[in-house]
């Protein structure tokens, strides 16, 4: 079964660092882009960025550039999203997604992780 | 990156047809993908490309595109289709963006 399994919920204080993970299984991890999506409480989906684990090519949404770091360790089929200094406004559900369908004029995220809830509160 | 605009809310009578739209400049060059999200669940892909459904998605879901507008049509809406729907597309640099989402109510 193709799946993405994310790390568990986190509760952190403002200013702390955090790294959450997303482990892929059931497919060739290095052959598909992995993205991250934020959903703040009661709000819509926001695309944060994407990484190709095969060569670590990474693209960020302008809204998130410099705010987070996306990385991957292909040896353990795991992608990461990290913050160096969390803010209360980082409180959200974070989903990792696989870019499973791709053509010259389309693509789509076919597999979603279960989500990781990050709560930042003093 | 381009923005994608969706109507915040749409309603449809049970068994009727509803169209959910998504507007943005990037849609002139790239097809949208559509995602369904029910409360407390991760989103699910329902339509991608010109009009493709992943395995397991009912054929009452279809997609179309014209100019800067992409549409998701549900023909014969069911109670279980009540959900939030999001479009997504990309630009030439590989940056993706989601629309703001449309809350579908089935009456």
């Amino acid at each position: 079964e193709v799946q993405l399994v994310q790390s568990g919920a986190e509760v952190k204080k403002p200013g702390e660092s955090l790294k959450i993970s997303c482990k892929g299984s059931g497919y060739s991890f290095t052959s598909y882009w992995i993205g991250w999506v934020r959903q703040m409480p009661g709000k819509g989906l926001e695309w944060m960025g994407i990484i190709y684990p095969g060569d670590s090519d990474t693209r960020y949404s302008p809204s998130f550039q410099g705010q987070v770091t996306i990385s991957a360790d292909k040896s353990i089929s795991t992608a990461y999203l990290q913050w160096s200094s969390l803010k209360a406004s980082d409180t959200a559900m974070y989903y990792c997604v696989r870019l499973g369908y791709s053509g010259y004029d389309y693509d789509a995220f076919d597999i979603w992780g279960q989500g990781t809830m990050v709560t930042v509160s003093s | 990156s381009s923005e994608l605009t969706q109507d915040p809310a749409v309603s449809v009578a049970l068994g009727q047809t509803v169209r959910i739209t998504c507007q943005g400049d990037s849609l002139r060059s790239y097809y949208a993908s559509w995602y369904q999200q029910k409360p407390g669940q991760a989103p699910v892909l329902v339509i991608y490309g010109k009009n493709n459904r992943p395995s397991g998605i009912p054929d009452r879901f279809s997609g179309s595109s014209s100019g800067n507008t992409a549409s998701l049509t549900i023909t014969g809406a069911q109670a279980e289709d009540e959900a939030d729907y999001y479009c997504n597309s990309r630009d030439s640099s590989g940056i993706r963006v989601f629309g703001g989402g449309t809350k579908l109510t089935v009456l």
Side-chain angles (χ1 to χ4, degrees):
Chain A
E1 178 190 7
V2 175
Q3 59 180 349
L4 297 173
V5 178
Q6 299 185 227
S7 50
E10 301 274 1
V11 179
K12 308 291 280 187
K13 294 185 178 351
E16 292 186 331
S17 63
L18 176 64
K19 192 173 189 177
I20 62 175
S21 66
C22 167
K23 183 173 177 61
S25 63
Y27 73 99
S28 175
F29 186 73
T30 55
S31 299
Y32 293 84
W33 292 82
I34 293 286
W36 287 94
V37 176
R38 183 175 81 173
Q39 188 167 38
M40 300 175 75
K43 302 298 184 182
L45 305 176
E46 298 174 271
W47 188 80
M48 302 177 71
I50 199 164
I51 187 167
Y52 190 72
D55 61 6
S56 292
D57 185 8
T58 308
R59 318 280 171 84
Y60 292 93
S61 163
S63 300
F64 292 92
Q65 179 83 49
Q67 307 305 306
V68 297
T69 300
I70 294 170
S71 60
D73 184 340
K74 59 186 179 182
S75 70
I76 55 172
S77 300
T78 300
Y80 301 97
L81 178 66
Q82 68 180 85
W83 296 259
S84 59
S85 180
L86 286 160
K87 303 184 284 288
S89 58
D90 293 318
T91 294
M93 180 72 82
Y94 293 88
Y95 294 101
C96 63
V97 294
R98 186 183 82 158
L99 195 71
Y101 297 109
S102 184
Y104 81 94
D105 59 357
Y106 74 94
D107 54 34
F109 304 116
D110 65 336
I111 304 296
W112 291 65
Q114 83 276 20
T116 295
M117 185 66 206
V118 174
T119 302
V120 183
S121 175
S122 55
Chain B
S1 61
S2 295
E3 292 186 354
L4 297 177
T5 301
Q6 297 182 240
D7 291 328
V10 171
S11 62
V12 61
L14 184 67
Q16 296 303 301
T17 296
V18 62
R19 177 174 291 181
I20 298 170
T21 61
C22 173
Q23 290 188 301
D25 287 342
S26 65
L27 300 177
R28 297 185 184 277
S29 303
Y30 298 98
Y31 289 104
S33 54
W34 290 92
Y35 303 85
Q36 175 194 69
Q37 186 180 33
K38 297 181 180 179
Q41 299 182 18
V44 172
L45 174 67
V46 294
I47 290 289
Y48 68 95
K50 190 173 183 180
N51 181 19
N52 300 296
R53 284 176 288 105
S55 174
I57 302 302
D59 61 6
R60 62 179 179 271
F61 290 88
S62 63
S64 61
S65 186
S66 179
N68 73 335
T69 301
S71 300
L72 172 70
T73 300
I74 307 174
T75 303
Q78 302 299 303
E80 60 264 32
D81 299 334
E82 186 162 290
D84 295 326
Y85 290 86
Y86 297 90
C87 59
N88 180 275
S89 188
R90 56 167 291 176
D91 64 19
S92 57
S93 64
I95 302 301
R96 278 78 175 175
V97 65
F98 284 99
T102 297
K103 182 177 181 62
L104 176 65
T105 300
V106 180
L107 304 172

